[in-house]
Amino acid sequence: MQLDAMYQEIILDHYRNPHHKGLRDPHNAEAHHINPTCGDEVTLRVTLAPAEGADVLDDKAVVSDVSYDGMGCSISQASTSVLTDLLIGRTVAEGMTTLDAFTELMHSRGRGEPDEDVLEDAVAFVGVSKYPARIKCALLGWMAWKDAVSQSLEKETV
């Protein structure tokens, strides 16, 4: 039970003291997502930089910034805050691996064994996965990030 309390504290701390909140420029792309079930919203901006020595954006590009603004429940807002901490400074490929691990955790129905080395504070959301109605809340910012990265990479290839 102490672990659950610690996880709840991590979620509440990110909700009360969000990291990287506030939309910033410059950015490569912006995505706005809404959870129609509950009305949670997030607008997320991503800034990618080419990998060292490269001049194009690809899966080796570095996530140099993620900023967001949103409104909604503590789960959606805290999850987006955690996302920013996890993904800024990593490559797009590493970010997608982290997204896959988080998505798998959210679909585990509370039975998943999250990899703390990959998910860090995002392991706090393991309890959320027990409540199917809350999974979309936790994934809202992550899906917006994936959308914004896809837009960034598409712009590069056009």
Side-chain angles (χ1 to χ4, degrees):
M1 196 62 170
Q2 290 178 347
L3 190 59
D4 287 341
M6 184 182 77
Y7 286 166
Q8 287 176 345
E9 190 57 38
I10 290 170
I11 291 170
L12 288 175
D13 184 51
H14 274 275
Y15 177 65
R16 292 179 185 138
N17 305 295
H19 301 182
H20 306 281
K21 189 167 186 180
L23 297 173
R24 289 187 293 277
D25 285 314
H27 62 281
N28 298 93
E30 177 179 293
H32 180 77
H33 283 220
I34 300 171
N35 181 349
T37 306
C38 63
D40 289 359
E41 294 186 39
V42 67
T43 300
L44 186 138
R45 290 181 176 171
V46 67
T47 305
L48 302 179
E52 191 172 325
D55 58 353
V56 296
L57 296 178
D58 58 14
D59 67 343
K60 295 177 189 78
V62 175
V63 179
S64 58
D65 192 33
V66 178
S67 63
Y68 70 98
D69 196 17
M71 57 181 244
C73 70
S74 60
I75 293 169
S76 70
Q77 300 305 296
S79 180
T80 306
S81 175
V82 168
L83 169 151
T84 64
D85 286 347
L86 281 172
L87 302 184
I88 293 173
R90 297 200 179 170
T91 66
V92 168
E94 291 168 332
M96 291 298 178
T97 298
T98 304
L99 168 66
D100 290 344
F102 189 73
T103 302
E104 183 179 324
L105 176 65
M106 287 299 95
H107 292 8
S108 72
R109 299 199 179 255
R111 294 184 293 268
E113 290 295 325
D115 185 342
E116 291 184 40
D117 292 334
V118 174
L119 293 175
E120 299 176 20
D121 276 357
V123 300
F125 294 89
V126 68
V128 173
S129 70
K130 296 176 189 174
Y131 305 98
R134 303 313 302 261
I135 292 170
K136 286 183 181 179
C137 299
L139 287 172
L140 184 66
W142 294 83
M143 295 300 105
W145 179 81
K146 182 180 180 181
D147 187 15
V149 167
S150 294
Q151 289 177 41
S152 295
L153 298 178
E154 281 178 18
K155 285 181 189 176
E156 187 68 22
T157 59
V158 172

